[in-house]
Amino acid sequence: MDSKHSALNARKQQATPRGVGVMCQWYAEKAENATIWDAEGNQFIDFAGGIAVLNTGHRHPKIIAAVTEQLTKFTHTAYQVVPYESYISLAERINERAPIEGAAKTSFFSTGAEAVENAVKIARAHTGRHGIVTFGNGFHGRSFMTMAMTGKTAPYKRDFGVMPAGVFHARYPVESKGVTVNDAIQSVEDIFAEDIAAHDVAAIVLEPVQGEGGFNVVPAEFLTRLRALCDQHGILIIADEVQSGFARTGKLFAMDHYETKADLITMAKSLGGGFPISAVVGRVDVMDAPNPGGLGGTYAGNPIAVAAAHAVIDVIESEGLCDRANELGTELVAVLNTIKASSNVVTDIRALGSMVAVELETADQAKAIQNYAMQNGLLILTCGRYGNVIRFLYPLTIPTEQFREALAILKQGFATLTA
Ligand SMILES: Cc1ncc(COP(=O)(O)O)c(C=O)c1O
């Protein structure tokens, strides 16, 4: 390792706790669209996108222009003290676009976990109930409530003590893992029978495509049956689209792929194109349940991030990024199928638009591909319960040539593993 990075790693070790686990041993210097340069001038194709934040790429010129313009006006007032029009117009744009039944309202926050926390607060205020059902292998954040909701102990909950009460985990339907739609529905009914009466449940929270859990795509039949079950018991459905939202799946929201509607949808990550903003959109009657002062936060809906989010929506629509997500996803899946045909390590390929993942037999194999890719200038992430899934979160703005360059590295990586 070169000296600049070694020196930074030594300082990192001294100055920051190990609990912030860091994947790369190199440091970012600059980035543009799908490329990151490190502190030594090496360049990487970014297939991680800052963990699903950069569907519009690094520093998209239109986002930078919007942010720069906002910087010349004001950077912070605290919306709850002095409001600004851009917050309202962003809410209006999300309300028009989100797949919510009837009229919608939107409230802004800063992080994904905060959006999920607030969706739970809104659901509790609306129903007057406390219970929350989530799913095994789901991920919802690192705050206390979202930790409890997350369906994976290590590294997220381990050592952090007693979780908030009233959270129960059902099984997420993944047919290839032996969990059928019937099994998953039955697991919800088991919770109602064994842990908490349906009458006390405020909401069922699910990721339409599980992110950290391995890019498992929810079957339409499960959503239809879950909706019927929830309607029968007066329970709300919250779709956590923090990772799947904003064109990644080939539609603005993953829920756009389904006829079933959620009552509330959480979003963050690619909404801000690199600036911290999150949101909850939902049915008007549900969103209006909390009393004034119950929602918000000092930085919630910060004007810089709001300006970025407006530009993100403009870019997604003017550059046709939903279609692009489908094109790129189709090409990647074709390459993965070719790899699978000649490889004995690939066990599954899952995709919705450009939310694409390939599952390997073991975490070591996934790590080996990740290391090979990194050594050859391609940054990729793993995920899944056992860390044996490689997920792809490239900018949807990536030039075709660079995308194919990355796929070639990936193919070589698999070839070395199979050889
Ligand atoms: C589905 C989902 N929900 C919530 C979160 C938490 O978001 P944040 O890290 O911004 O708090 C994540 C982050 O990966 C996520 O993927």
Side-chain angles (χ1 to χ4, degrees):
M1 178 166 303
D2 59 80
S3 59
K4 199 164 181 181
H5 290 152
S6 313
L8 283 169
N9 280 324
R11 282 171 55 199
K12 170 169 86 67
Q13 209 138 328
Q14 286 294 319
T16 66
R18 65 188 185 126
V20 184
V22 178
M23 187 179 113
C24 294
Q25 301 293 302
W26 50 268
Y27 290 77
E29 189 68 26
K30 61 172 184 166
E32 201 170 319
N33 199 0
T35 310
I36 305 190
W37 286 264
D38 72 12
E40 287 294 318
N42 300 306
Q43 84 181 54
F44 298 86
I45 303 173
D46 186 1
F47 265 38
I51 323 181
V53 166
L54 300 167
N55 291 352
T56 49
H58 287 276
R59 299 172 58 252
H60 192 290
K62 287 188 180 148
I63 298 173
I64 298 301
V67 164
T68 307
E69 196 195 336
Q70 183 58 42
L71 282 170
T72 66
K73 296 177 181 165
F74 57 94
T75 61
H76 182 79
T77 61
Y79 180 79
Q80 293 138 263
V81 178
V82 181
Y84 28 93
E85 191 269 346
S86 57
Y87 182 116
I88 300 167
S89 54
L90 185 60
E92 287 167 345
R93 294 180 83 186
I94 291 172
N95 296 341
E96 278 165 20
R97 288 162 177 76
I100 294 289
E101 195 79 64
K105 285 192 174 185
T106 296
S107 180
F108 295 105
F109 306 95
S110 302
T111 66
E114 237 189 308
V116 176
E117 291 266 350
N118 279 281
V120 168
K121 283 165 60 178
I122 293 164
R124 283 183 170 179
H126 176 75
T127 58
R129 306 168 175 190
H130 75 280
I132 298 294
V133 174
T134 63
F135 292 86
N137 301 314
F139 181 82
H140 300 286
R142 287 182 169 85
S143 60
F144 254 101
M145 188 62 183
T146 58
M147 229 187 341
M149 293 165 69
T150 289
K152 188 175 182 183
T153 52
Y156 306 120
K157 308 196 212 198
R158 214 190 102 155
D159 299 331
F160 295 129
V162 179
M163 297 290 130
V167 179
F168 304 91
H169 289 95
R171 302 184 77 196
Y172 196 89
V174 186
E175 193 100 29
S176 63
K177 297 277 176 302
V179 184
T180 64
V181 167
N182 278 343
D183 294 336
I185 289 290
Q186 186 60 51
S187 73
V188 175
E189 285 181 339
D190 288 346
I191 288 171
F192 295 164
E194 296 166 9
D195 298 314
I196 181 168
H199 164 89
D200 292 320
V201 175
I204 298 189
V205 186
L206 99 164
E207 297 162 85
V209 184
Q210 284 193 323
E212 305 295 310
F215 283 22
N216 302 306
V217 182
V218 75
E221 186 199 345
F222 180 74
L223 282 185
T224 309
R225 290 177 61 184
L226 190 70
R227 182 77 265 179
L229 195 60
C230 286
D231 289 347
Q232 182 191 339
H233 295 293
I235 297 168
L236 299 177
I237 293 181
I238 301 173
D240 182 351
E241 292 237 30
V242 166
Q243 191 153 160
S244 58
F246 289 86
R248 172 57 48 188
T249 67
K251 294 193 184 275
L252 194 60
F253 294 95
M255 287 303 287
D256 284 318
H257 290 276
Y258 301 92
E259 281 190 8
T260 302
K261 301 275 184 284
D263 301 291
L264 297 169
I265 297 175
T266 57
M267 67 202 83
K269 293 190 184 273
S270 275
L271 163 64
F275 294 84
I277 182 164
S278 64
V280 180
V281 62
R283 276 169 39 198
V284 166
D285 56 328
V286 181
M287 288 298 292
D288 271 333
N291 279 310
L295 302 178
T298 305
Y299 290 107
N302 168 271
I304 305 291
V306 165
H310 272 292
V312 163
I313 296 174
D314 292 343
V315 169
I316 287 174
E317 294 182 351
S318 65
E319 297 186 16
L321 292 190
C322 289
D323 290 343
R324 186 72 179 144
N326 286 321
E327 270 168 36
L328 294 170
T330 303
E331 185 165 341
L332 173 55
V333 168
V335 165
L336 292 173
N337 275 322
T338 319
I339 291 172
K340 185 168 188 262
S342 60
S343 158
N344 51 5
V345 299
V346 174
T347 56
D348 198 15
I349 296 162
R350 295 186 283 275
L352 190 62
S354 268
M355 203 155 175
V356 179
V358 56
E359 183 160 339
L360 288 80
E361 280 172 337
T362 67
D364 284 347
Q365 291 164 349
K367 194 87 209 149
I369 300 285
Q370 191 182 34
N371 289 341
Y372 178 92
M374 185 97 86
Q375 278 155 17
N376 289 277
L378 172 65
L379 189 60
I380 51 176
L381 297 176
T382 58
C383 64
R385 179 171 178 151
Y386 305 106
N388 59 330
V389 180
I390 294 170
R391 59 175 152 168
F392 301 97
L393 291 166
Y394 43 80
L396 303 172
T397 47
I398 188 171
T400 303
E401 201 182 322
Q402 193 181 21
F403 184 68
R404 293 189 177 151
E405 204 184 310
L407 300 194
I409 297 170
L410 199 64
K411 273 195 218 168
Q412 288 153 14
F414 274 96
T416 49
L417 200 65
T418 316

